[in-house]
Amino acid sequence: MRNMIVGLTGQTGAGKSTVSDYLRENGVVVIDADKIAREVVETGSACIADIALEFGCEYINMDGTLNRKKMARTVFNDKEKLKKLNNLMFPYIIDSIRRELKHLREQQEGIIVLDAPTLFESGADRECDRVVSVTADVQSRKERIIRRDKLTEEEADERIQAQHDEEYYKSRSWQVLENNGSINELKNQTSVLLSKLEAEMEAGNSSEAQQ
């Protein structure tokens, strides 16, 4: 097993970024799907043209970039519009992820983490050997995203309600990290997770060597 692709996902405010940062700091290669999502809507992209056609030019800034605040206000209040946006963007995002995975597989061995908030919704979990989700109770998540994104309580509630519940993630994951405590506790869980992933890699390599 040259590589193990690990999907990392979770609810907003659950602590996925903390897990991702810890893994990166400990030598794990991380693909940031959020970064890819921003790249596919850069000025002049095919995706931004599709969005303008579907939603209207008022969602595009004067410089040709996506008006993220306006779009966020629209889709977080309307699940059908959120679905339309995702259906437009996901094919471009998946295509970029596949190219990046192909490049990394050719360049190196080891664990590759795909950090993707919409891992399941986009179908990107099908590119992964293992899936890890980060969850937290609603109140903790709400407090974190209000502090992080400077939202009102109403805006925070809208974002939380637009996402799936904990069971959705737990039922689809190989491992779940529950982040209802301190950052250090989450980092300790992540350390244990990394050891498990490395053991899985080693077991896979031993199995291949014996065949």
Side-chain angles (χ1 to χ4, degrees):
M1 183 185 289
R2 278 182 53 84
N3 302 106
M4 177 185 286
I5 313 302
V6 180
L8 176 65
T9 191
Q11 304 155 304
T12 184
K16 179 178 61 61
S17 295
T18 299
V19 174
S20 183
D21 290 344
Y22 179 92
L23 293 170
R24 191 182 284 108
E25 289 164 6
N26 283 273
V28 178
V29 175
V30 178
I31 298 174
D32 185 348
D34 266 346
K35 181 182 177 185
I36 290 173
R38 290 192 293 273
E39 290 170 351
V40 301
V41 292
E42 288 178 347
T43 304
S45 69
C47 185
I48 203 78
D50 288 348
I51 291 171
L53 283 171
E54 180 65 38
F55 287 89
C57 291
E58 65 267 28
Y59 287 90
I60 311 301
N61 294 317
M62 292 296 291
D63 62 358
T65 58
L66 180 66
N67 187 327
R68 296 179 183 281
K69 286 187 177 180
K70 185 177 180 65
M71 183 61 77
R73 285 195 299 270
T74 297
V75 299
F76 284 127
N77 285 307
D78 190 324
K79 288 188 177 182
E80 281 303 311
K81 288 183 179 178
L82 177 59
K83 185 178 179 180
K84 280 184 180 180
L85 178 64
N86 287 341
N87 287 342
L88 287 174
M89 292 185 64
F90 284 159
Y92 293 102
I93 294 170
I94 292 295
D95 189 50
S96 293
I97 286 171
R98 285 174 176 159
R99 287 199 301 270
E100 182 68 13
L101 284 173
K102 182 176 184 294
H103 172 73
L104 289 171
R105 284 188 179 112
E106 291 169 351
Q107 295 296 316
Q108 64 186 63
E109 298 182 1
I111 297 165
I112 300 171
V113 168
L114 172 57
D115 178 346
T118 55
L119 186 78
F120 300 121
E121 297 88 338
S122 66
D125 58 308
R126 291 193 286 271
E127 307 294 324
C128 304
D129 301 302
R130 299 285 185 274
V131 172
V132 176
S133 290
V134 187
T135 64
D137 63 66
V138 172
Q139 188 59 35
S140 294
R141 291 166 54 212
K142 183 176 178 178
E143 291 171 0
R144 289 168 189 157
I145 64 174
I146 287 173
R147 185 168 59 248
R148 182 191 69 196
D149 300 331
K150 297 178 174 55
L151 303 176
T152 64
E153 285 202 24
E154 184 180 358
E155 288 170 333
D157 286 334
E158 286 171 358
R159 290 199 183 183
I160 288 170
Q161 288 166 13
Q163 292 194 316
H164 300 287
D165 61 15
E166 284 189 29
E167 187 53 37
Y168 177 90
Y169 292 92
K170 289 179 178 179
S171 65
R172 290 164 172 78
S173 302
W174 172 69
Q175 293 282 313
V176 175
L177 306 182
E178 293 190 3
N179 180 27
N180 295 319
S182 67
I183 289 178
N184 283 337
E185 287 171 334
L186 181 58
K187 287 182 177 180
N188 287 339
Q189 287 187 69
T190 309
S191 176
V192 172
L193 169 69
L194 183 54
S195 296
K196 286 183 179 179
L197 291 170
E198 290 170 343
E200 289 264 319
M201 274 287 297
E202 186 175 342
N205 290 333
S206 297
S207 177
E208 287 179 4
Q210 291 170 6
Q211 291 178 1

